Amino acid sequence: MPLTGGSFHDLESRASAVANELLSIKPEESVLIISHLDADGLAAGSILFSALVRSGAQPHLRIVKQLEGEVIKEISAMKPKYAVFTDMGSGQKSLLKDLVETKPIVVDHHQPEKSDMDLLEVNPHLSGFDGSNDLSAAGTAYLVAKKMAESNSDLSTLAIVGALGDIQDKGERGAFVGVNSIIAEEAVKMGLMTVKKGLRLYGFESRPLVKCMEYTIEPFLPGLSGDEGACYKLLKGIGIDPRRQDGGWKSVSDLTKDELRTVINGMIKYMISQGMTSREAESIVGAVYVLNNELPETPLRDAREFASSINACGRLGKYGLGVSICLGDRGNALSELKEILQDYRKAISGYLKWLQSSSEAVRVLPNVQAILGGSVVDEKMIGTLASIAYSSKQFTTEKPIIAFAKASKGVKVSGRATPDLVRRGLNLGAVMKEASEKLGGSGGGHNIAAGAQIPDGKEAEFLSIADALVSKTVSGVRL
Ligand code: C5P
Ligand code: C5P
């Protein structure tokens, strides 16, 4: 597929420059990889960790909530020879300048901050690609890993997982676009992945129907995700018996074509009834990415579920588990993961219930809508809640969502938008950066998903600045 928008040649030469530096690291030289806690960050950090170990280096991997001054202070105290930042760094170059005895290397896909710093950096934006659609941090790390050794191509599946974690399956019917589609083709050619057409329900090709509805987190199906009884009832309600005649659960292979159509229509109707647009609801039908080397009954077989699984680990603070799954740990890690996934679905359902029942949880302004999470919502979960809130009737897809939670220091802000708002001119990363900096904080990210850190008590001011910025940039015309 021809690549448009950017220069793949430029991206590859930047990846080669980073790869050559990483290959020059000797076993006795200290190298610390610092990555973000979400699925893309965990996958990106793990890809470079594996590639470095395979090349004979002895890296350490540290997962953080975000790149802030404290993290730079900690790195400065440890004095590693190299600090490799994955899924972060491009937007925080002013902080990297404080590293004196450590050489920073950045492998990122966030909107880069301009800087005169002499920095080894690979980022799709620098080569003309869009880091929110065309390539994830894990994909960028994969390009570097492949330049380090062709045999690292087995890590392509982690690159796919990272891209799905960042919701980059934005092509027609859940396909990949840009550099992601090249990586997906490589994984398919190597027999590591199969792309099927189906319902984007987790484990759709292998699990009982009731179970894949219950387990699906992205999109979160309010009232169904995490509730087997409700999924059973919905199927019964549309005339599908969830059980076979022999008493076992029905899988997709047990359905006739007509029954499958009924299930698809039933799911779309349900999602619309929950407030999703018909475009979003119809996107439930599309590409399903099956990882051939994972066992069918595990949450890692379906690449979207793999992404949600490690995202759950990160968001619940189980960084070690997330990384060890990316590095290939199964067995006990899988049993632990099943519990984490249950906790994660429960936490999300609890937050959604709180949103519906608390009169002070939501604030609506002319151009933005806000979730005031205070100390109710964990700062690591506020981003997830903001993403999922669009699946709930309470929130309109016409305005971005800006969510706040009390952080260990100050307030954590998470913003989420829709592809339509971005087409109409919204750049949430720029809004977060400008509004937070006006209040003495910091922020940035992507046009569609971004975040910030602001001082305590500044939520209302932040909202009114963001409201004005959104009104200035977003055109009223739907495209
Ligand atoms: O740091 P990073 O780029 O990986 O984070 C982006 C975050 O935004 C992810 O947690 C991803 O799930 C979220 N996102 C979203 N909706 C989108 C795109 C990304 O919630 N359309
Ligand atoms: O934390 P959350 O999932 O809301 O982050 C959304 C996106 O914004 C991520 O890509 C994250 O790396 C980015 N972000 C940022 N600066 C911050 C907070 C988040 O660039 N201070």
Side-chain angles (χ1 to χ4, degrees), residues 171-242:
E172 272 292 297
R173 297 252 169 253
F176 285 116
V177 294
V179 187
N180 280 322
S181 59
I182 295 183
I183 300 176
E185 269 173 38
E186 282 181 14
V188 169
K189 266 199 199 129
M190 281 184 289
L192 299 170
M193 181 169 86
T194 305
V195 185
K196 298 188 175 178
K197 189 174 173 245
L199 266 179
R200 284 177 39 182
L201 294 175
Y202 291 179
F204 180 66
E205 53 102 45
S206 55
R207 281 217 181 94
L209 211 45
V210 164
K211 286 285 162 198
C212 53
M213 287 162 73
E214 176 192 348
Y215 288 171
T216 299
I217 296 176
E218 168 49 49
F220 199 81
L221 306 165
L224 295 181
S225 296
D227 188 341
E228 185 193 83
C231 300
Y232 185 95
K233 257 199 202 151
L234 182 119
L235 286 174
K236 278 277 200 194
I238 56 173
I240 302 289
D241 191 341

Side-chain angles (χ1 to χ4, degrees), residues 232-253:
Y232 185 95
K233 257 199 202 151
L234 182 119
L235 286 174
K236 278 277 200 194
I238 56 173
I240 302 289
D241 191 341
R243 288 194 185 273
R244 294 191 304 257
Q245 276 185 343
D246 66 4
W249 291 110
K250 266 187 195 163
S251 295
V252 64
S253 53

Side-chain angles (χ1 to χ4, degrees), residues 281-351:
E282 279 160 19
S283 73
I284 191 84
V285 183
V288 173
Y289 299 95
V290 181
L291 301 182
N292 298 329
N293 292 343
E294 302 295 343
L295 292 174
E297 64 274 15
T298 68
L300 306 179
R301 172 87 170 175
D302 181 324
R304 284 198 183 87
E305 190 173 5
F306 193 134
S308 279
S309 297
I310 55 170
N311 196 31
C313 294
R315 303 276 177 186
L316 293 181
K318 304 280 181 189
Y319 307 150
L321 182 61
V323 169
S324 66
I325 287 172
C326 289
L327 297 180
D329 218 357
R330 299 295 177 258
N332 283 344
L334 279 181
S335 346
E336 216 185 309
L337 174 63
K338 282 183 187 151
E339 280 175 35
I340 295 291
L341 281 169
Q342 256 174 14
D343 292 349
Y344 187 62
R345 281 187 288 261
K346 245 190 239 156
I348 294 169
S349 299
Y351 288 141

Side-chain angles (χ1 to χ4, degrees), residues 36 38 66 87 92 109-110 315 383 412-416 442-446 449-453:
H36 189 215
D38 72 357
Q66 67 212 8
D87 200 21
Q92 298 97 349
H109 71 134
H110 290 96
R315 303 276 177 186
K412 164 85 180 83
V413 192
S414 274
R416 296 293 185 270
S442 61
H446 307 288
Q453 201 77 13

